[in-house]
């Protein structure tokens, strides 16, 4: 699990003063990028090295309690499953000890033309399902 702290900015909130529901997916993306970075690889480097992309093909969010402007929240990101051509990440968003939201995203591995491809063995060796990283990783 990799923990990423974010400060809620005013632009993340709706008219009611709480984080707009769609912005939780942005928080998931921030957590996912930091997860990959903690494994020693920047997402940009992955795209360039392998000429592959990992688009979201499924997303799920369960909301429990609202985050508000200026809250410091943590996105806890884990890689739950890796298949030949897809990966599923799970997320928990917390404020202090309070669970605000949970969710997951599934990503297909595709080439630049959008055709499904197998995950490269080198990438699979860097990603460990359910393991916490030893340090911040390269390219931080």
């Amino acid at each position: 699990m990799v923990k990423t702290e974010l400060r809620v900015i005013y632009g993340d909130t709706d008219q009611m003063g709480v984080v707009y529901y769609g912005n939780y997916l942005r928080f998931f993306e921030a957590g996912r990028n930091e997860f990959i970075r903690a494994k020693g690889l920047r997402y940009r480097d992955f795209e360039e090295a392998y000429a592959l992309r990992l688009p979201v093909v499924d997303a799920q969010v369960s909301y429990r309690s609202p985050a508000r402007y200026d809250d410091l929240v943590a996105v806890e990101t884990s890689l739950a499953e890796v298949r030949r051509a897809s990966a599923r990440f799970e997320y928990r968003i917390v404020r202090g000890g309070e669970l605000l939201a949970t969710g997951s995203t599934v990503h297909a591995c595709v080439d630049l033309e959008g055709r499904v491809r197998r995950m490269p063995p080198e990438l699979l060796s860097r990603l460990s399902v359910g393991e916490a990283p030893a340090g911040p990783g390269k390219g931080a």
Side-chain angles (χ1 to χ4, degrees):
M1 185 269 295
V2 173
K3 186 183 215 178
T4 305
E5 289 190 336
L6 303 169
R7 177 81 56 190
V8 174
I9 63 170
Y10 189 73
D12 289 332
T13 63
D14 60 18
Q15 189 174 6
M16 295 180 289
V18 301
V19 171
Y20 177 70
Y21 74 94
N23 285 332
Y24 286 85
L25 293 172
R26 289 183 46 250
F27 296 169
F28 289 179
E29 181 177 5
R32 187 171 60 251
N33 277 296
E34 292 307 314
F35 179 92
I36 292 170
R37 183 182 304 274
K39 296 295 184 173
L41 185 68
R42 293 184 317 164
Y43 188 74
R44 173 183 285 171
D45 295 337
F46 162 77
E47 290 181 325
E48 291 174 6
Y50 302 107
L52 295 171
R53 305 288 187 262
L54 294 172
V56 175
V57 295
D58 186 61
Q60 181 275 325
V61 184
S62 293
Y63 306 96
R64 299 177 185 253
S65 186
R68 300 180 185 283
Y69 170 67
D70 206 39
D71 281 352
L72 182 61
V73 299
V75 182
E76 299 172 352
T77 306
S78 300
L79 181 60
E81 180 181 31
V82 177
R83 294 184 170 205
R84 281 188 257 173
S86 67
R88 182 171 55 86
F89 290 87
E90 292 182 345
Y91 312 90
R92 289 172 32 94
I93 298 180
V94 296
R95 177 185 54 224
E98 183 182 11
L99 181 62
L100 304 179
T102 60
S104 65
T105 54
V106 177
H107 302 260
C109 185
V110 300
D111 64 19
L112 300 179
E113 289 76 39
R115 293 182 298 250
V116 175
R117 296 289 182 228
R118 286 182 183 247
M119 294 272 191
E122 302 84 18
L123 178 63
L124 293 175
S125 70
R126 287 184 181 247
L127 301 177
S128 300
V129 175
E131 283 188 19
K138 298 178 202 167

